[in-house]
Amino acid sequence: VLDMRICYNPKSGLNIVPADYAAKVMYQVCMQHDAHESYYLVNNQETPHKLHIPLMLKALNIIGPRQVDAISGQMNRLERIYYKTVGKALGSYIMLEPILFDISNLSAVLHKAKLACPAVDEKTFPLLMEYAKKKHFGLSKKNSSSVVE
């Protein structure tokens, strides 16, 4: 059990987009000769931090971290390590207010191609975590000895 506080906005989330969906949309934009110059290839909804962070911790067999609204001025050793590493890289993403993108210029393309971005939810996020674990989180096997199996 880890005695640790993780600061994240429980009202917000990550905009996780499956790569195959993004590829299909880009292909359709090209094939349909759509006139717009730029697009947001995003999910229609965020995957809430209050959903994906606990699921990620569960997949890694990490028990104990709890959500807080602000970073404490008095951190324990584990929290100092977290905020110098993972927290430094991800903090700005998980503390923001929700970010919603205007995808209206893609509406016609998506409709014509019958495409919709799949939800990344409590059913699909664990599948992503299992895949990441099998692939050693993108690290080579030689450099992934500390990654949870």
Side-chain angles (χ1 to χ4, degrees):
V1 176
L2 299 179
D3 179 26
M4 160 175 197
R5 298 163 289 187
I6 300 175
C7 181
Y8 63 87
N9 185 342
K11 297 177 285 181
S12 188
L14 292 179
N15 196 295
I16 302 172
V17 180
D20 59 335
Y21 168 77
K24 289 174 186 176
V25 173
M26 288 188 288
Y27 175 77
Q28 286 298 321
V29 164
C30 294
M31 294 305 293
Q32 294 181 31
H33 304 289
D34 193 73
H36 293 93
E37 292 183 18
S38 62
Y39 307 88
Y40 289 116
L41 296 181
V42 296
N43 204 316
N44 298 347
Q45 59 190 20
E46 293 182 320
T47 302
H49 300 312
K50 64 184 178 184
L51 174 75
H52 75 82
I53 291 174
L55 288 173
M56 188 180 319
L57 294 171
K58 180 180 178 181
L60 299 173
N61 297 318
I62 298 172
I63 301 167
R66 59 197 180 283
Q67 187 274 333
V68 293
D69 294 327
I71 299 172
S72 173
Q74 297 186 351
M75 292 185 258
N76 64 34
R77 181 176 175 270
L78 186 57
E79 290 168 338
R80 285 192 300 274
I81 292 169
Y82 169 81
Y83 285 105
K84 284 182 181 178
T85 57
V86 176
K88 185 176 184 178
L90 298 179
S92 60
Y93 296 104
I94 63 175
M95 289 187 249
L96 294 173
E97 291 299 315
I99 299 174
L100 303 176
F101 298 89
D102 179 9
I103 61 168
S104 59
N105 65 345
L106 266 177
S107 295
V109 171
L110 296 175
H111 180 73
K112 186 174 180 182
K114 297 183 174 112
L115 286 174
C117 190
V120 180
D121 56 20
E122 64 278 347
K123 292 179 183 174
T124 56
F125 190 80
L127 299 173
L128 294 175
M129 286 302 300
E130 285 305 311
Y131 179 82
K133 285 170 40 177
K134 284 180 187 173
K135 297 297 182 179
H136 303 279
F137 296 90
L139 302 171
S140 68
K141 285 187 180 187
K142 172 169 94 170
N143 296 328
S144 63
S145 60
S146 64
V147 176
V148 177
E149 292 292 329

